[in-house]
Amino acid sequence: TLLHRYITALYWSVTTLTTVGYGDISGGSTLEKIYSILMMICGVLGYSTVLGTVSSELLSKDQRVETMSHQLVTLAHFAKTVNLRYEDYRRIRRHIEVKYED
């Protein structure tokens, strides 16, 4: 039937795009192919979610480090400009470091 051909074509496309491969075991009936398609899509979504979350965390950490570095440079410049006491400088610096810790 036309539906069976369409599902078979979709199964082939999804199997190829997800790089799962065809292996020794593959869906034979229309329902098996539909189930396989859904499982491959779920696998891709799960993998994408994990990869996206890890990437986001790494980027977030880089931004925190960059922001902290910029604030510390600004503090050093300010301390030098106004002749801030070293003890006060250390307290403010420690506050900034604690604020941006993991």
Side-chain angles (χ1 to χ4, degrees):
T1 67
L2 184 60
L3 180 63
H4 180 70
R5 280 197 207 157
Y6 178 75
I7 301 245
T8 300
L10 186 62
Y11 172 77
W12 178 85
S13 299
V14 172
T15 302
T16 302
L17 289 174
T18 59
T19 67
V20 169
Y22 306 99
D24 296 337
I25 301 171
S26 61
S29 72
T30 302
L31 286 177
E32 290 172 346
K33 289 177 182 177
I34 291 172
Y35 179 77
S36 297
I37 291 168
L38 292 174
M39 289 300 104
M40 285 185 267
I41 290 172
C42 287
V44 168
L45 290 175
Y47 179 77
S48 300
T49 301
V50 170
L51 189 63
T53 302
V54 169
S55 298
S56 177
E57 279 299 313
L58 292 175
L59 182 62
S60 173
K61 185 173 183 169
D62 285 347
Q63 288 175 342
R64 282 195 311 263
V65 169
E66 186 177 328
T67 302
M68 182 180 76
S69 296
H70 177 70
Q71 287 191 354
L72 291 175
V73 167
T74 303
L75 173 63
H77 179 71
F78 173 76
K80 191 179 239 183
T81 302
V82 299
N83 293 326
L84 189 66
R85 291 185 317 152
Y86 183 71
E87 183 180 304
D88 294 335
Y89 168 78
R90 279 187 35 215
R91 287 177 56 207
I92 296 170
R93 180 182 172 94
R94 181 67 186 141
H95 172 75
I96 291 171
E97 290 170 346
V98 167
K99 181 178 178 182
Y100 289 99
E101 281 181 350
D102 288 338

